[in-house]
Amino acid sequence: MSQSNVQAQAQAGVKQHPISLYLKVWVLLFVLSTLSYMVDYFQLQGMLRWSLILIFMFLKAGFILAIFMHVAWERIALKLVLFLPPLAILVLIVLMAIEGDYTFINRLLSFISS
């Protein structure tokens, strides 16, 4: 890309991201995928297995969203529009799970005492 073309894009507000960043993230995604497959290879079981799988999954999704979908360079308002509703839904799910456990324990205690 010529110098004048880069200057014209900079004046127009178009940002160029270095290709090395994309390659580094691509390698990182490959490493995270390998670690995810290693969880199955070593036959980890129980909460450790699912915790590792979810951690690797969220890390990969975060890197893909941030770098390859250019969310890292967006304004904070757009980030809030994208991430606040799923976060609110997650909080509501956690609250419903807590309330469900409370109801289950109270019903169990009620049946035991009667």
Side-chain angles (χ1 to χ4, degrees):
M1 188 175 294
S2 70
Q3 185 68 20
S4 63
N5 194 9
V6 171
Q7 289 176 349
Q9 286 182 348
Q11 290 174 352
V14 177
K15 292 182 180 179
Q16 288 288 327
H17 308 292
I19 192 73
S20 64
L21 176 66
Y22 293 101
L23 292 175
K24 288 175 187 172
V25 171
W26 183 81
V27 169
L28 188 59
L29 289 173
F30 181 76
V31 169
L32 288 173
S33 294
T34 303
L35 291 174
S36 182
Y37 286 119
M38 295 303 276
V39 169
D40 282 335
Y41 182 77
F42 289 118
Q43 298 179 355
L44 298 176
Q45 298 296 323
M47 287 297 293
L48 178 65
R49 171 191 170 91
W50 293 109
S51 298
L52 288 174
I53 288 174
L54 287 175
I55 287 170
F56 294 139
M57 181 183 71
F58 282 121
L59 283 173
K60 288 190 295 186
F63 280 118
I64 290 170
L65 265 174
I67 303 302
F68 292 110
M69 297 179 79
H70 304 268
V71 172
W73 297 284
E74 293 293 338
R75 291 186 219 152
I76 190 71
L78 184 61
K79 291 177 187 176
L80 289 176
V81 167
L82 289 174
F83 298 119
L84 220 47
L87 187 64
I89 290 173
L90 185 66
V91 168
L92 290 175
I93 288 172
V94 168
L95 289 175
M96 285 189 293
I98 291 170
E99 194 270 339
D101 286 343
Y102 174 76
T103 303
F104 177 73
I105 290 172
N106 278 336
R107 286 181 183 171
L108 194 63
L109 290 176
S110 173
F111 286 129
I112 289 173
S113 65
S114 61

